[in-house]
């Protein structure tokens, strides 16, 4: 069948049982992704399989890294620039549709990551088997790029597993474990990695029958009356989480499904909708954010971090959660504090985290064993990295460094999780300042992906590389920043929070401020965020940065702190908190907010972003945008502060700041650097 033919990206092997194993091994790449060349080769193979149908076809990956990561995003980006997205989508659909029509049984053998186009190829197969390995994750995350599945995913998945489950899966962009995919009906059978292909052969020779309940659900939930009734409900639920003007893709997906029709019509509707979405600024910016994320991941590559044992000093919320996260990611961790009563809550939170993430006792127990309480601090001498996470006090931190540094072995790194104190001050009395740096995590540690790797003039370049590699090893996104008050994220975030508190003190209700910020695209309003971070933390960081930035602390802040209200952690701050959620007061329906409240909150962030870029706090605009997006959640669909300034026009934004400065004072005056933002 394939005698004499050589393929660059696919390998074929026909067994004595008549089954063809088709192995995907993209040339020159460590990970399988679909390019035009890859699809063209697959199309040629499908044509030959159609002429001489085998007993069955098994699609697998020849890469150890996983099954298929999806489409080649860089190539997709070029299609958008040349206006050929629709043709590209239709080509992919044709190849997968021809594969689905092969006159033989087809099985996707999935091990490792299976995302986007990889999942769509699997859906074009008659059956799917997956390995039980924890690395196996199956998803359709296209909404995170401002589009939705365009190679048949949205046309096929609802008719396989039922519309409610399929829509939730695609609208969330989440991924599923093999077990979860099996429960949904997305996967037909499970096997161990080493027996995966054999299981696929078994499925071809003895195909399973889908349960009647699954088939009935898939049929009933895709009937025309059901689609017309269910679509508005799903649209309303989605609108509660995302604005159609900010993120149009989820709503386009719902409408595409609502229209329905035979498969050919569904594919055509899907292709045209995705091609239209690809031309939006949201898709362009979200694709840029994807590449920014990949850029940060790449910073930690190519260097051995040399860290096996991590010692954390300070078992508060931040220190305890940093320790728990490092143990979750496979490191031996010792956690130190003055007494066991301060460490135990951190261990309890770690147990909850592991139960949620790891699920089974055989995976939870080893993680718990890697995290050890260490009241005496003996772990500091054995560790390869010590992370200090005590309270924000210069003298206390320096005293701790003097105590632990004398026990260090050669090459041991010392890091601080300080959120605002410059490292030049912290390192003043160190014996080995060249091995001291900042690793600034964000709260909650398990949710926030960013770590600021804070540098200073006396730091060794190799220490920075090791720290970046360590961040990669614990699955965090590192951004190198120079030491200055607030570093990058807090320096940009604090003017936003302080101005929101000033507006609050002027009588603007908290819910109004939060709603305005969310309308701009922030994931959480500033008043709710201040309560979440902790008013004591905001005040501590705010005092340091207010002096540095020439800002005044909002009126009433001191009185609020003196009352003992610290926000979410105590149940009361600007809002009352119940069961971890804010109880926001009702706003008078006749209340009219000042027209400029959004500008007053957002423009100081943009102003400080320009100043940070001009001062070299980060190396370039890409790193700044990435840091602010992943550290604050700054409206991803806008592409980051600098990208947003450029899209609006730097001259226009600067003029808006000047207008605010004339109205409210010098805190809004444009900072140096606006003339360099192109």
């Amino acid at each position: 069948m394939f005698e004499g033919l050589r393929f660059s990206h696919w390998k074929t092997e026909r067994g004595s049982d008549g089954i063809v194993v088709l192995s995907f091994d993209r040339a020159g790449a460590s990970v399988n992704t679909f390019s035009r060349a890859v699809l063209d080769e697959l199309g040629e193979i499908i044509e030959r399989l159609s002429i001489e149908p085998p007993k069955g076809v098994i699609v697998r990956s020849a890469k150890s890294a996983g099954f298929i990561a999806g489409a080649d995003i860089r190539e997709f980006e070029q299609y958008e620039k040349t206006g050929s997205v629709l043709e590209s989508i239709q080509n992919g659909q044709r190849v997968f549709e021809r594969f689905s029509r092969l006159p033989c049984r087809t099985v996707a053998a999935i091990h490792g990551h299976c995302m986007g186009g990889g999942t769509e190829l699997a859906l074009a197969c008659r059956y799917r088997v997956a390995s039980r390995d924890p690395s196996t994750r199956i998803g359709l995350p296209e909404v995170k790029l401002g589009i939705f599945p365009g190679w048949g995913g949205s046309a096929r998945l609802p008719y396989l597993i039922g519309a409610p489950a399929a829509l939730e899966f695609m609208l969330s962009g989440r991924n599923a474990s093999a077990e979860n995919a099996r429960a949904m009906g997305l996967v037909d059978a499970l096997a161990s990695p080493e027996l995966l292909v054999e299981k696929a052969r078994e499925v071809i020779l003895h195909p399973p029958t889908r349960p009647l309940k699954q088939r009935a659900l898939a049929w009933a939930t895709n009937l025309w009356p059901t689609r017309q009734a269910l679509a508005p409900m799903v649209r309303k639920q989605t609108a509660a989480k995302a604005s159609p003007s900010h993120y149009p893709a989820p709503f386009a997906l719902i409408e595409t499904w609502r229209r329905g029709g035979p498969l050919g019509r569904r594919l055509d509707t899907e292709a045209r909708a995705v091609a239209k979405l690809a031309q939006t600024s949201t898709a362009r910016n979200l694709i840029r954010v994807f590449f920014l994320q990949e850029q940060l991941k790449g910073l930690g590559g190519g260097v051995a971090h040399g860290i096996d044992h991590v010692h954390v000093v300070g078992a508060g919320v931040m220190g305890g959660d940093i320790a728990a996260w490092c143990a979750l990611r496979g490191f031996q961790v010792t956690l130190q504090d003055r007494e066991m009563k301060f460490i135990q809550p951190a261990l309890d939170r770690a147990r909850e985290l592991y139960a949620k993430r790891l699920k089974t006792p055989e995976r939870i127990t080893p993680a718990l064993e890697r995290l050890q309480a260490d009241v005496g601090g003996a772990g500091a001498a054995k560790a390869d990295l010590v992370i200090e996470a005590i309270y924000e006090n210069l003298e206390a931190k320096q005293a701790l460094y003097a105590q632990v540094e004398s026990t260090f072995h050669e090459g041991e790194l010392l890091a601080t999780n300080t959120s605002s104190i410059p490292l030049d001050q912290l390192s003043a009395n160190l014996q080995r300042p060249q091995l001291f740096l900042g690793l600034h995590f964000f709260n909650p540690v398990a949710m926030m992906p960013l770590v600021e790797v804070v540098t200073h003039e006396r730091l060794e370049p190799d220490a920075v590389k090791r720290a970046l590699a360590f961040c990669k090893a614990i699955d965090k996104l590192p951004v190198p920043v120079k030491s200055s008050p607030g570093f990058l994220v807090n320096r940009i975030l604090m003017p936003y929070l302080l101005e929101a508190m000033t507006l609050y003190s002027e009588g603007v209700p908290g819910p109004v401020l939060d709603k305005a910020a969310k309308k701009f695209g922030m994931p959480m309003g500033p008043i709710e965020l201040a309560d979440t971070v902790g008013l004591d933390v905001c005040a501590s960081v705010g005092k340091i940065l207010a002096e540095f930035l020439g800002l005044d602390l909002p009126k009433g802040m001191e009185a609020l702190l003196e009352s003992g209200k610290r926000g979410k952690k105590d149940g009361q701050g600007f809002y009352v908190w119940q069961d971890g959620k804010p109880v926001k007061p009702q706003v008078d329906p006749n209340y009219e907010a000042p027209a400029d409240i959004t500008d007053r909150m957002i423009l100081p962030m943009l102003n400080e972003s320009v100043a940070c870029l001009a001062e070299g706090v980060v190396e370039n605009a890409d790193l700044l945008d990435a840091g602010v997006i992943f550290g604050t959640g700054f409206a991803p669909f806008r592409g980051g502060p600098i990208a947003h300034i450029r899209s609006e026009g730097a001259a226009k934004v600067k003029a808006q700041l000047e207008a605010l400065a004339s109205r409210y004072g010098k805190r809004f005056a444009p900072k140096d650097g606006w003339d360099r933002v192109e």
Side-chain angles (χ1 to χ4, degrees):
M1 183 189 305
F2 298 105
E3 290 78 4
L5 293 175
R6 295 176 65 91
F7 297 104
S8 299
H9 309 290
W10 299 90
K11 298 174 183 176
T12 59
E13 181 183 354
R14 183 167 186 152
S16 57
D17 54 6
I19 294 172
V20 170
V21 177
L22 183 57
S23 299
F24 184 15
D25 190 8
R26 182 170 177 179
S30 60
V31 174
N32 281 334
T33 55
F34 282 118
S35 65
R36 184 59 178 257
V38 167
L39 287 170
D40 287 347
E41 273 195 5
L42 179 58
E44 187 178 346
I45 292 169
I46 293 168
E47 185 176 344
R48 293 183 176 276
L49 290 170
S50 302
I51 296 169
E52 298 180 52
K55 179 80 173 178
V57 178
I58 298 169
V59 183
R60 64 176 289 274
S61 168
K63 306 278 191 194
S64 59
F67 185 61
I68 305 171
D72 185 325
I73 304 300
R74 291 204 179 277
E75 192 172 85
F76 182 84
E77 190 179 35
Q78 291 305 310
Y79 289 139
E80 191 277 321
K81 290 178 180 177
T82 58
S84 55
V85 171
L86 179 59
E87 191 277 329
S88 168
I89 293 171
Q90 290 172 333
N91 178 66
Q93 285 186 344
R94 281 193 298 271
V95 173
F96 287 5
E97 175 65 359
R98 285 166 54 207
F99 190 81
S100 74
R101 293 180 181 276
L102 282 174
C104 61
R105 293 168 186 155
T106 53
V107 183
I110 302 165
H111 171 68
H113 54 249
C114 174
M115 298 293 152
T119 302
E120 291 179 290
L121 175 61
L123 288 169
C125 292
R126 199 82 55 90
Y127 305 101
R128 288 147 295 281
V129 299
S131 77
R132 294 190 184 91
D133 193 273
S135 70
T136 297
R137 310 295 299 184
I138 303 171
L140 290 165
E142 285 87 345
V143 289
K144 296 179 181 179
L145 298 177
I147 55 176
F148 64 83
W151 283 343
S154 76
R156 289 191 173 92
L157 187 62
Y159 294 79
L160 177 69
I161 66 173
L167 289 172
E168 185 279 329
F169 193 59
M170 292 185 286
L171 290 169
S172 67
R174 69 178 179 87
N175 54 63
S177 66
E179 290 83 358
N180 184 224
R182 176 76 174 90
M184 282 194 296
L186 176 54
V187 163
D188 299 285
L190 303 178
S192 60
E194 58 273 13
L195 296 177
L196 187 60
V197 173
E198 288 308 309
K199 187 67 177 180
R201 289 183 188 277
E202 182 184 320
V203 165
I204 288 173
L205 298 172
H206 307 286
T209 301
R210 291 180 66 79
L212 177 61
K213 184 178 179 181
Q214 281 185 0
R215 286 181 284 149
L217 179 69
W219 174 78
T221 58
N222 287 285
L223 292 171
W224 187 89
T226 309
R227 297 198 312 273
Q228 309 317 305
L230 187 58
M233 296 168 56
V234 179
R235 191 181 297 114
K236 184 177 179 180
Q237 293 169 353
T238 304
K241 300 175 184 176
S243 166
S245 60
H246 294 167
Y247 298 100
F251 302 92
L253 169 59
I254 296 165
E255 176 59 18
T256 297
W257 169 76
R258 185 195 69 79
R259 292 174 65 180
L263 179 60
R265 189 191 305 165
R266 298 200 306 269
L267 289 170
D268 182 63
T269 306
E270 174 189 83
R272 295 184 185 281
V274 174
K276 184 177 179 181
L277 288 168
Q279 298 170 27
T280 63
S281 61
T282 293
R284 293 189 192 105
N285 281 328
L286 291 181
I287 288 172
R288 177 172 179 266
V289 170
F290 170 81
F291 286 126
L292 292 178
Q293 179 174 299
E294 294 302 299
Q295 183 180 341
L296 295 188
K297 288 179 181 177
L299 293 176
V303 175
H305 53 69
I307 297 168
D308 296 314
H309 182 168
V310 179
H311 182 75
V312 180
V313 185
V317 172
M318 287 303 297
D321 289 358
I322 291 169
W325 185 262
C326 292
L328 174 69
R329 292 302 172 199
F331 288 86
Q332 294 296 321
V333 182
T334 42
L335 178 58
Q336 178 183 349
D337 214 310
R338 290 168 292 166
E339 297 179 50
M340 190 63 202
K341 68 179 182 181
F342 298 120
I343 300 176
Q344 191 58 52
L347 300 181
D348 295 339
R349 290 197 309 277
R351 186 178 293 274
E352 292 175 9
L353 173 67
Y354 300 162
K356 183 177 180 181
R357 294 290 182 112
L358 302 177
K359 310 294 186 187
T360 61
E362 58 266 24
R363 296 174 64 196
I364 294 170
T365 301
L368 286 170
E369 290 174 348
R370 288 193 295 268
L371 177 59
Q372 297 293 318
D374 183 10
V375 175
K382 304 172 186 176
D384 306 298
L385 168 65
V386 171
I387 301 176
E388 167 269 305
I390 66 173
Y391 58 100
E392 290 288 88
N393 180 277
L394 175 63
E395 290 74 22
K397 290 178 186 288
Q398 287 179 330
L400 172 65
Y401 301 160
Q403 178 185 341
V404 299
E405 196 182 21
S406 62
T407 70
F408 281 6
H409 59 76
E410 185 178 354
E412 186 170 350
L413 296 176
L414 173 61
T416 176
N417 185 54
T418 182
S419 56
S420 58
I421 304 175
L423 268 63
D424 293 338
Q425 296 177 27
L426 289 172
S427 64
N429 302 323
L430 286 176
Q431 298 173 22
R432 306 182 314 163
Q434 71 276 15
L435 295 177
F436 171 72
L437 74 163
L439 287 177
H440 181 219
F441 291 76
F442 293 85
N443 189 25
V445 173
M447 298 293 292
M448 297 297 286
L450 191 77
V451 173
E452 289 179 315
V453 178
V454 189
T455 65
H456 58 93
E457 289 185 357
R458 295 189 289 173
L459 180 61
E460 283 184 354
D462 284 350
V464 179
K465 293 176 183 177
R466 290 178 61 197
L468 294 171
F470 171 72
C471 290
K472 183 176 183 179
I474 60 171
D475 199 26
K476 293 295 181 184
L477 300 175
V479 59
V481 301
K482 290 183 180 178
S483 178
S484 65
F487 312 134
L488 175 71
V489 172
N490 280 340
R491 176 172 168 179
I492 290 172
L493 185 65
M494 197 51 62
Y496 161 72
L497 291 178
L498 292 177
E499 191 61 32
M501 293 178 198
T502 298
L503 282 159
Y504 182 89
S505 72
E506 293 173 2
V508 181
V512 172
L513 295 168
D514 286 346
K515 185 177 180 181
K518 291 187 74 173
K519 186 176 180 180
F520 174 80
M522 301 299 285
M524 181 184 290
I527 302 301
E528 184 178 341
L529 178 61
D531 267 1
T532 302
V533 171
L535 299 185
D536 53 336
V537 175
C538 285
S540 173
V541 177
K543 285 178 182 176
I544 294 171
L545 287 176
E547 182 179 352
F548 175 70
L549 301 174
L551 302 174
D552 295 322
L553 286 175
K555 295 176 182 177
M557 186 72 184
E558 292 292 346
L560 193 65
L561 287 169
E562 287 171 4
S563 70
K565 298 177 180 179
R566 298 192 302 169
K568 182 178 180 179
K569 67 182 82 175
D570 293 333
Q572 197 163 16
F574 287 110
Y575 299 132
V576 174
W577 290 75
Q578 293 180 358
D579 299 322
K581 295 183 178 180
V583 180
K584 298 187 178 183
Q586 291 292 320
V587 178
D588 184 341
N590 296 317
Y591 174 79
E592 289 190 22
D596 60 2
I597 62 172
T598 302
D599 282 352
R600 283 183 61 181
M601 290 188 293
I602 300 300
L603 292 183
M605 294 182 77
L606 304 183
N607 202 14
E608 212 55 54
S609 297
V610 169
C612 286
L613 191 59
E615 294 171 22
V617 174
V618 284
E619 195 171 290
N620 54 51
D622 282 352
L623 288 177
L624 187 144
D625 280 346
V628 179
I629 289 171
F630 296 118
T632 73
F634 181 95
F637 73 94
R638 297 187 188 274
I642 303 301
H644 178 57
I645 289 169
R646 287 171 174 163
S647 69
E648 292 290 303
K652 174 186 171 183
V653 180
K654 183 181 179 184
Q656 291 173 319
L657 279 166
E658 289 168 341
L660 289 177
S662 66
R663 203 176 308 151
Y664 299 107
K666 64 179 183 180
R667 68 182 184 276
F668 289 104
K671 301 203 167 185
D672 290 341
W674 279 92
D675 56 334
R676 282 169 272 172
V677 180
E678 298 174 359

